[in-house]
């Protein structure tokens, strides 16, 4: 995937692919339901789940006849050799690149120690996420920050000033600095981001329904990320591979890797589809062989909300 440059002048065109992204901010933008497997661990790859992501991304189901790949099972047990976190420069869309190698039947018989269920979603503790309103995205307005969120995440204001105000500098996934004026004013009093906010909204092409999150990390830095609302897919140009070709291509790559015990690469976009098609083998074994669900049993589930609460 080729990345191009946009936004402020500080941004370099060659950044993106090779830059090490802030893991905390990447996971916050990906959402609380995302859990990446650990490098070096064994994982289970589901071709059908991968295919579902392609369908969700292109907004188009497969029309053509899919060739039969006899050596491609419904799930492949693989060794995970590499995981790289990325963010598209144009859209800030987060995605992960994974290198997988199918295990031979002999290798699958090796002693397996289920040590981990994957890298827990590194959701920050000192942050807030807000879904933007029409007022937040208007060119002549500002960003209204919930009072508790501002007091929790932003540096304290000097209330000896009238009105209390300060300059905030936040870094996004591409390490670009964004400057905002934070002021406490109005009747009733409220926290607002004014100067610099409309520039950010325009550069990121944000609309009402998108979400913005601010993190105050352990290094006393303010980080800034976005989660875009689902938008209707536009028609893909004819120069782009068709949805059918993408489906067939991912199946062919997985089948070839399974037959030759070679590596193949997949791209996981957590915001495009809920399909989690690469999961830790430990998690798979636990779900299939050790989870017993019965009528009347209570359980906990994670829901993606602004507070990322567990229900």
């Amino acid at each position: 995937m080729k990345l191009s440059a946009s936004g402020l002048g500080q941004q370099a065109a060659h950044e993106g692919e090779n830059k090490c992204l802030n893991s905390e901010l990447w996971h916050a933008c990906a959402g609380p339901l995302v859990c990446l497997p650990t490098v070096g661990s064994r994982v289970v790859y589901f071709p059908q789940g991968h295919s579902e992501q392609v369908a969700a991304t292109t907004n188009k189901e497969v029309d053509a006849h899919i060739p039969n790949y006899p050596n491609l099972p419904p799930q492949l047990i693989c060794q995970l050799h590499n995981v790289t976190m990325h963010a598209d420069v144009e859209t800030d869309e987060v995605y992960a690149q994974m290198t997988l190698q199918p295990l031979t039947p002999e290798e699958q018989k090796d002693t397996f120690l289920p040590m981990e269920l994957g890298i827990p979603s590194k959701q920050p503790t000192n942050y807030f996420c807000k879904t933007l309103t029409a007022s937040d995205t208007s060119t002549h307005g500002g960003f209204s920050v919930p009072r508790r969120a501002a007091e929790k995440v932003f540096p304290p204001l000097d209330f000896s000033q009238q009105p209390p105000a300060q300059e905030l500098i936040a870094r996004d996934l591409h390490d670009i600095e964004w400057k905002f004026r934070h002021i406490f004013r109005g009747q009733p009093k409220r926290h607002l981001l004014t100067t610099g906010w409309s520039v950010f909204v325009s550069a990121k092409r944000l609309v009402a329904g998108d979400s913005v999150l601010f993190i105050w990390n352990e290094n006393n830095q303010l980080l800034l990320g976005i989660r875009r609302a689902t938008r209707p897919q536009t028609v893909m140009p004819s120069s782009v591979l068709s949805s059918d070709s993408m489906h067939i291509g991912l199946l062919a790559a997985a089948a070839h890797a399974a037959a030759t015990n070679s590596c193949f690469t997949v791209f996981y976009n957590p915001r495009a589809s809920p399909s989690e098609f690469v999961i830790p083998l430990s998690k798979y074994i636990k779900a299939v062989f050790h989870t017993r669900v019965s009528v009347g049993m209570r359980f906990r589930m994670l829901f993606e909300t602004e507070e990322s609460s567990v229900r």
Side-chain angles (χ1 to χ4, degrees), residues 2-5 10-19 87 89 173-176:
K2 183 173 176 168
L3 304 181
S4 58
Q10 305 145 301
Q11 190 169 335
H14 63 270
E15 290 181 352
E17 286 291 349
N18 299 321
K19 190 170 184 63
V89 176
L173 273 167
H174 312 289
D175 208 32
I176 299 173

Side-chain angles (χ1 to χ4, degrees), residues 127-139:
Y127 88 114
F128 76 88
C129 178
K130 182 190 175 187
T131 301
L132 300 179
T133 64
S135 174
D136 291 328
T137 56
S138 65
T139 54

